[in-house]
Amino acid sequence: SAIHFRTDVERVLARLSPEDRLLAALLVDHTRTEVSRILGQSRSTIYERIEKLRVPFIQAGFAPKVRRGFRTSQANEAGK
């Protein structure tokens, strides 16, 4: 249900650093390019941070088994 989904997302967000929580919040309403401008970071840095940000969500089951060549097994390895 929507309540469980929200609770699960909040659990993942709670484990993130304040900087990563800010990044996740900004990505809800802004493009990656806009986020790079807001944070004063290069787009490549934002893309790298997004890839790292995906790991805890994938590990929590918020992604299909394969996503753009990034398999769950790779996420598990990256999270170690």
Side-chain angles (χ1 to χ4, degrees), residues 24-72:
L26 288 171
L27 288 167
V28 170
D29 295 318
H30 300 282
T31 67
R32 294 168 181 161
T33 300
E34 291 169 335
V35 170
S36 76
R37 289 184 192 134
I38 291 167
L39 295 178
Q41 297 177 347
S42 69
R43 284 188 313 167
S44 62
T45 297
I46 296 301
Y47 277 84
E48 289 170 10
R49 290 185 61 198
I50 290 169
E51 285 302 313
K52 291 177 185 173
L53 186 61
R54 284 183 175 146
V55 172
F57 285 95
I58 291 170
Q59 290 174 334
F62 287 108
K65 296 292 181 196
V66 176
R67 182 182 173 117
R68 295 187 196 159
F70 193 76
R71 292 185 297 280
T72 303

